[in-house]
Structures are given as C-alpha cells and as structure tokens.
Amino acid sequence: MGMDISGLNPTIIGDEPVFPDNWKELSQKAKDCYNELEKEYHIDNPGVYFRANIWSWRPIYYAILEANNSCDLGISADTIDGMGYNSGHGLKTQEECTKLADALEIMMLSMRHDGVEEFGFNLGMWTARDGKMLSSEDSKRLDELYPEGGLLTDLPVFLATGDKSIPVWPSHTTQLDHMEEFIVFLRSCGGFAIY
C-alpha cells in the first residue's frame, strides 16, 4: 500500500520510452535496455511521478502540515485533509508546489545541519527495528514521553524494559533522502494529485 503521486504538468526532457507490446518475447538484454531507458527518463524528469509507501508518506504528510502552519502557505484544510489519502487531492499549480518545496527544504536543511538522517512522527504506533510492533502498554509509555503528532528527529528512542533499554522507532518514519526526492519532485511537477 502506498501513495502514487503524479505531476499534473511536469517539466519534460526527452521522450518517455514506450513499453513494448511484445515484452514477453524480448530477450533479457532488450528488457534490461528498456528498463534502463525508463529509469533514465524518470531521473531526467523528476516531476512526473513520486511514490512513497504509507509508512514513509505519513511523516512527509505531517511535515507538509507543519510547513503549511508554520510558513502560512495557505493550503486549504480540504486539500491538506485529502493529501492524507489516495483521493486525487494535491496542489494544482507550480507556484504552490514551489512554496511548499521551499518550506520543506528549510526543515530538511535544519535537520541535515543537526545530523538527522531519518525522522518520524508519533502516530501512536511503535516498532523495534526487527519490525515487531510494541505492546499497547509499552506504546502508552512512549506516548507519555513523546506527544502524539510530535516530530521526532533523534531516532531511535529508547524504551526501558527491566534492566536494559531497547531501541525503538515510531512506525511512521522516512529518510531525509526520500523527503529530498519529494522536494525535487515538487520543484518540477506543475502541481500534483495523489492516487
């Protein structure tokens, strides 16, 4: 499950390779050649498409909320609410996207300056790095220390259990590199819709 974000009027360099009708009959070398051309097209045209799984999208979404509130970007509540789902919502102009990109970039530069490589928000779910969800009792203890909806940049946090502490993360985190890919997408998408 993820968020597929399409640019509405992206800046385009070159022609998108056409998927061959006879794909199953192609040699592996021909398939690899097509895949390489498609990869290059998307690298050269970052405003065409951006994808994030739901665990990574939530921190990006909450960063958008924070940027909208702190920088007074003027994104409507309806648009913001819709951006949390695969509902077709998004920003409709490049000007709006550039303002959001500028605000998010300031957040990311500050995090980079502080040595942060990943961030998340407490959305009431916590995991150990092995992917196991914490018990509701342990989650409640962490929720008391880290308010729900709060930005977390000093990850992992540590949960005291008996005579030791274990590293845990909010279940919704993303790498700064992924957020920066979204910022690059915003700078050349011409508006976007989330599906």
Side-chain angles (χ1 to χ4, degrees):
M1 176 75 180
M3 311 303 263
D4 294 304
I5 305 168
S6 298
L8 297 179
N9 190 20
T11 303
I12 301 292
I13 298 170
D15 295 325
E16 182 174 9
V18 177
F19 187 80
D21 290 334
N22 62 340
W23 180 260
K24 290 181 181 180
E25 298 151 16
L26 294 177
S27 68
Q28 188 59 49
K29 185 175 181 179
K31 289 177 182 179
D32 292 344
C33 181
Y34 168 80
N35 288 333
E36 188 61 33
L37 289 171
E38 183 179 49
K39 180 180 174 182
E40 287 177 22
Y41 174 80
H42 285 284
I43 289 169
D44 291 343
N45 299 285
V48 171
Y49 177 77
F50 177 81
R51 185 178 198 303
N53 67 36
I54 196 67
W55 304 102
S56 182
W57 178 250
R58 287 288 171 232
I60 294 171
Y61 171 73
Y62 272 79
I64 292 169
L65 288 172
E66 192 168 300
N68 189 49
N69 293 334
S70 64
C71 297
D72 195 26
L73 299 177
I75 303 171
S76 73
D78 183 52
T79 298
I80 287 283
D81 290 345
M83 287 168 56
Y85 306 95
N86 296 330
S87 61
H89 281 78
L91 302 179
K92 302 304 177 205
T93 69
Q94 184 57 55
E95 180 182 356
E96 293 172 305
C97 292
T98 299
K99 286 181 184 177
L100 177 57
D102 291 345
L104 292 174
E105 188 169 53
I106 290 167
M107 290 174 68
M108 295 306 103
L109 289 172
S110 176
M111 287 185 202
R112 283 273 186 225
H113 181 266
D114 293 340
V116 173
E117 292 189 20
E118 73 177 323
F119 70 96
F121 287 83
N122 174 13
L123 300 177
M125 294 173 27
W126 298 85
T127 60
R129 197 36 100 185
D130 63 7
K132 292 183 181 174
M133 301 294 284
L134 298 186
S135 69
S136 60
E137 181 181 307
D138 286 341
S139 288
K140 285 178 186 175
R141 288 175 45 212
L142 288 165
D143 290 345
E144 290 173 9
L145 296 171
Y146 306 99
E148 191 161 337
L151 173 66
L152 298 168
T153 57
D154 191 14
L155 297 174
V157 299
F158 290 88
L159 174 67
T161 58
D163 61 346
K164 62 180 179 175
S165 292
I166 60 168
V168 296
W169 287 259
S171 295
H172 299 82
T173 62
T174 196
Q175 300 292 314
L176 255 61
D177 290 347
H178 193 52
M179 181 63 155
E180 289 168 346
E181 288 173 23
F182 181 61
I183 291 168
V184 170
F185 166 83
L186 287 172
R187 294 203 181 281
S188 58
C189 66
F192 64 87
I194 303 170
Y195 296 102

